[in-house]
Amino acid sequence: MDTTIRSAKQDDYAALLPLFRQVHDLHVFERPDLYKKNATPVEEALFHDQLHDDRQHIFVATLGMEIVGVVVLQEEDIRENSFVNARKVLLVNSLCGGYAEEKGNRKEAYAPCF
């Protein structure tokens, strides 16, 4: 089966929540001074807002019908100042590859295109 990349949609939320938790749990583990434990690190309303924000882009990787990866990107404008020129940048806010369930067997399915 091939990995496919597509834009996220609102009804992907439930499938993405475990991936968002995986990223957040890593952040909490590595930087407890910055991140708090939270069972729902991305609430559905926030996800909805991100999908409708022209400066944020969420792409999912699918293996068959299952979502196995996600990347959350955000556009930013860098203002010109005395040491840099103005420019636009695309930041990776979140990146995660997960697991796919295939006929009851757990199979690692990291999206190599991420």
Side-chain angles (χ1 to χ4, degrees):
M1 237 183 283
D2 291 331
T3 302
T4 303
I5 305 298
R6 64 169 172 77
S7 294
K9 41 192 184 188
Q10 185 64 42
D11 56 347
D12 291 331
Y13 177 76
L16 288 171
L17 195 52
L19 296 176
F20 292 146
R21 280 191 198 114
Q22 183 179 334
V23 170
H24 186 72
D25 289 348
L26 176 64
H27 288 157
V28 170
F29 178 78
E30 294 292 337
R31 293 301 307 265
D33 57 321
L34 298 176
Y35 294 92
K36 300 183 217 178
K37 289 183 181 180
N38 184 338
T40 309
V42 177
E43 294 179 356
E44 193 164 3
L46 173 62
F47 179 68
H48 175 80
D49 290 346
Q50 288 176 307
L51 289 178
H52 293 89
D53 182 343
D54 290 338
R55 297 181 62 81
Q56 294 192 58
H57 311 280
I58 304 174
F59 296 98
V60 297
T62 61
L63 190 61
M65 297 298 293
E66 188 165 5
I67 294 175
V68 295
V70 61
V71 62
V72 181
L73 307 170
Q74 183 170 345
E75 295 176 30
E76 269 195 26
D77 294 317
I78 304 296
R79 292 181 15 192
E80 184 172 345
N81 59 44
S82 63
F83 59 92
V84 296
N85 291 319
R87 65 187 181 280
K88 291 182 182 266
V89 295
L90 188 62
L91 302 174
V92 177
N93 281 342
S94 188
L95 172 67
C96 185
Y99 294 93
E101 298 291 332
E102 189 171 342
K103 296 183 183 174
N105 298 322
R106 194 167 168 118
K107 175 184 173 187
E108 190 169 355
Y110 177 71
C113 46
F114 287 154

